Amino acid sequence: MKKYDIVIIGGGAAGLVAAKTAKGLGKKVAILEKNKMGGECTHTGCIPSKALIKSARVLYDIKHAEDFGLKAKVTSQTAVLRHVRDVVKSVYSTHTPQKLSEDGFNLYFGNAKFQSSNKVSINNEILEAKKIILATGSSPFIPPIPGLAESHYLTNDNIFDLKTIPKSLIVIGGGAIGVELAQSFSRLGTKVCLVEREAQILSKEDSEIAERLVQKLQSEGVKVLRNNVVEKVKDNTVFINGQKLKAEHVLIAVGRKLNLDDLNLNIAGVNFSAKGVIVNKKLQTTVKNIYACGDIVGPYQFSHMAEYQGIIAATNTCLPSLFHRKIDYSHTCWTTFSDPELAHAGLTEKEGIAKYGKVKVYHYEYRDIDRGHTELENGFSKIICDRKHRIVGVHILGHSASEVMHELQLAKSLGLPFYKIRQIIHSYPSYSDVIRQPAKLSYIDFLHNNFFIKCIKAMISHK
């Protein structure tokens, strides 16, 4: 039996960050992984999808070169998916088993199962640890649609293995994965139909932002069908509301399934539900020496949240309770990497009204800033503030929204009034003007509602 300070089950985004944190704090660490190190993000999620999105954007720009006074053409895009796989290999090279072993990590590959609260078996070997961190991630959820199991459907797990760009594609699911891949393949020449069962794609987004993105998708040729429930699938034919939709491939992108099967969590005494492993604010499970992080904890299934949780879980397993940290989701943010990008932090307008009763909403269009003019970019920022001008919601649809948002995220996290941003010197011309310009509007509103300004205005009006 081999003994470790910490055993981490799962070598994805959460597990690797937790492992590096624990090792940095002087602990002897073992990582147990069922498949490849790097997890979904490296091999089938963030990395390949963003590489595909970039290739699609380049082709889109070439096709629209005449808008910029140029002429260009593309003779073939057959190498795109090979390029995507090459990018994955490049990223994976930073955390291969050999590299991690050289860095001092003990690696085990296979199906891990609890034998007790501090013992785990893998490949007929028993590992004992003072502390254990669960970070097994998630997989594509396959809905119980009649006929689907017998069909040769795609998910993000295997779509990047295609050798050629499909001629046609039906995407079932209007979440981030569905939207990103629908637009990318459409730009690469695929005839795409996106099917969403709800009235709004990207259901967690502000409705105004989501609708504007739908218009963009449709303008590029993506057929968007909302309020449509898939009745059955037969081969590559999808039946909805009496209609038949046929394509070369069907992509399932309706959510994620937690990887909790076969771990023997009951033997360890770890409680869990359909929503995931039950943890407290320190990411400690119902068993005091076992912690959990990443997708299996939720409530947000993003790599940056997995990293955030992984650091906290590892810190709390390694340090005395006096130094334990609590998880804080009050300033969570994320981006859907469509084109234009959609960045989100905090409350939607509807949620803001429900919480505060009255909010102030500031809009600013990309086409109204000089950088937007020079690069022919469209989109807009939408900043939601409470009565004290504190930022409670950030929504940006536009080029580099994932980068532009962080100035607002910083101000929001520090509780600074939105109008404070106006006095910071910004580089010109930059996309940050979609933040700075509405900050000026916030300052004007602040002045109008300032008690002393009101008094001065009243005095002047009586002269």
Side-chain angles (χ1 to χ4, degrees):
M1 183 186 299
K2 295 183 179 178
K3 296 185 178 182
Y4 295 94
D5 295 318
I6 298 176
V7 162
I8 297 173
I9 305 178
L16 285 177
V17 170
K20 291 175 181 179
T21 303
K23 186 175 181 300
L25 292 171
K27 301 300 180 180
K28 184 180 179 182
V29 180
I31 307 173
L32 283 55
E33 172 55 48
K34 188 175 183 179
N35 298 305
K36 287 184 177 180
M37 288 294 171
E40 186 262 350
C41 182
T42 297
H43 300 285
T44 62
C46 310
I47 300 305
S49 66
K50 303 313 166 275
L52 184 75
I53 288 166
K54 177 61 177 180
S55 293
R57 171 76 195 226
V58 170
L59 180 57
Y60 178 83
D61 287 343
I62 292 172
K63 288 181 176 179
H64 291 80
E66 289 190 8
D67 294 344
F68 297 88
L70 302 168
K71 285 189 177 181
K73 66 177 182 178
V74 174
T75 57
S76 173
Q77 56 257 40
T78 56
V80 168
L81 291 169
R82 185 170 68 245
H83 161 72
V84 169
R85 290 189 285 271
D86 287 344
V87 172
V88 170
K89 289 179 183 177
S90 176
V91 173
Y92 179 52
S93 67
T94 64
H95 46 256
T96 60
Q98 180 181 351
K99 181 72 169 61
L100 291 168
S101 295
E102 291 172 355
D103 290 341
F105 295 99
N106 299 273
L107 309 181
Y108 296 84
F109 291 90
N111 294 320
K113 296 178 182 290
F114 278 100
Q115 301 302 311
S116 69
S117 62
N118 67 333
K119 293 179 182 177
V120 179
S121 66
I122 186 166
N123 297 334
N124 299 317
E125 195 168 3
I126 302 294
L127 310 181
E128 183 178 337
K130 298 174 183 176
K131 301 286 179 65
I132 296 174
I133 298 176
L134 290 170
T136 50
S138 64
S139 306
F141 172 71
I142 308 303
I145 300 172
L148 182 60
E150 295 76 39
S151 301
H152 299 292
Y153 60 86
L154 298 172
T155 68
N156 69 291
D157 272 359
N158 58 8
I159 193 168
F160 302 109
D161 294 329
L162 293 176
K163 302 305 179 186
T164 60
I165 302 297
K167 292 180 174 62
S168 55
L169 179 68
I170 297 169
V171 179
I172 300 177
I177 294 173
V179 168
E180 290 176 3
L181 294 182
Q183 184 182 40
S184 295
F185 278 104
S186 175
R187 288 181 163 190
L188 292 167
T190 305
K191 184 179 180 181
V192 178
C193 179
L194 177 66
V195 181
E196 168 57 43
R197 67 180 298 160
E198 304 296 336
Q200 177 182 316
I201 66 167
L202 301 171
S203 59
K204 293 182 179 179
E205 303 300 336
D206 186 273
S207 59
E208 184 180 8
I209 289 267
E211 187 57 37
R212 184 82 164 259
L213 183 55
V214 167
Q215 294 171 13
K216 174 63 173 173
L217 294 174
Q218 291 174 330
S219 73
E220 294 185 11
V222 178
K223 187 175 183 180
V224 181
L225 301 178
R226 291 172 284 182
N227 288 315
N228 280 280
V229 176
V230 176
E231 297 162 352
K232 67 175 181 177
V233 176
K234 185 176 182 181
D235 298 324
N236 293 327
T237 302
V238 175
F239 295 78
I240 58 169
N241 297 344
Q243 299 182 63
K244 290 182 182 180
L245 306 175
K246 189 172 179 60
E248 184 180 350
H249 292 289
V250 175
L251 171 67
I252 305 299
V254 295
R256 308 290 297 173
K257 174 183 176 293
L258 306 181
N259 295 334
L260 296 175
D261 296 340
D262 304 322
L263 286 171
N264 288 349
L265 292 178
N266 291 329
I267 289 178
V270 175
N271 291 347
F272 62 97
S273 69
K275 293 183 178 180
V277 176
I278 296 171
V279 295
N280 60 21
K281 290 186 177 181
K282 296 181 179 180
L283 297 180
Q284 186 178 42
T285 70
T286 48
V287 180
K288 66 179 183 178
N289 69 302
I290 301 176
Y291 289 71
C293 55
D295 284 5
I296 58 170
V297 170
Y300 304 101
Q301 295 180 332
F302 304 112
S303 293
H304 56 281
M305 294 306 296
E307 178 179 341
Y308 171 62
Q309 292 177 339
I311 292 171
I312 290 179
T315 301
N316 290 348
T317 59
C318 296
L319 300 179
S321 58
L322 178 65
F323 301 100
H324 283 190
R325 294 173 57 191
K326 292 183 179 180
I327 204 81
D328 180 7
Y329 299 123
S330 56
H331 297 293
T332 301
C333 64
W334 63 79
T335 302
T336 298
F337 291 91
S338 50
D339 183 17
E341 294 177 353
L342 198 167
H344 175 128
L347 305 176
T348 64
E349 182 178 359
K350 184 178 179 181
E351 291 168 342
I353 292 171
K355 182 172 182 177
Y356 295 100
K358 185 178 181 181
V359 294
K360 184 66 178 178
V361 180
Y362 297 94
H363 291 83
Y364 215 85
E365 294 282 342
Y366 268 63
R367 63 173 175 260
D368 292 332
I369 64 172
D370 289 349
R371 184 68 181 274
H373 279 294
T374 62
E375 302 202 12
L376 306 184
E377 293 291 348
N378 278 306
F380 68 104
S381 61
K382 182 175 183 178
I383 299 96
I384 301 161
C385 299
D386 64 13
R387 296 182 184 185
K388 295 182 178 179
H389 294 267
R390 289 174 301 197
I391 301 164
V392 298
V394 175
H395 309 277
I396 306 174
L397 181 69
H399 187 69
S400 296
S402 58
E403 310 297 336
V404 174
M405 77 174 299
H406 287 106
E407 183 175 21
L408 288 166
Q409 175 73 339
L410 179 63
K412 178 178 179 291
S413 299
L414 296 177
L416 299 176
F418 180 34
Y419 58 77
K420 290 283 188 181
I421 291 175
R422 93 201 184 283
Q423 65 196 45
I424 298 170
I425 298 172
H426 290 70
S427 177
Y428 171 88
S430 68
Y431 290 121
S432 63
D433 255 2
V434 295
I435 304 305
R436 188 174 66 94
Q437 296 297 345
K440 292 178 181 179
L441 300 178
S442 174
Y443 184 60
I444 292 170
D445 286 340
F446 166 73
L447 291 178
H448 284 321
N449 291 298
N450 183 276
F451 174 76
F452 297 104
I453 298 295
K454 284 182 177 181
C455 290
I456 292 171
K457 288 173 68 176
M459 291 169 59
I460 294 173
S461 65
H462 282 87
K463 284 186 177 181

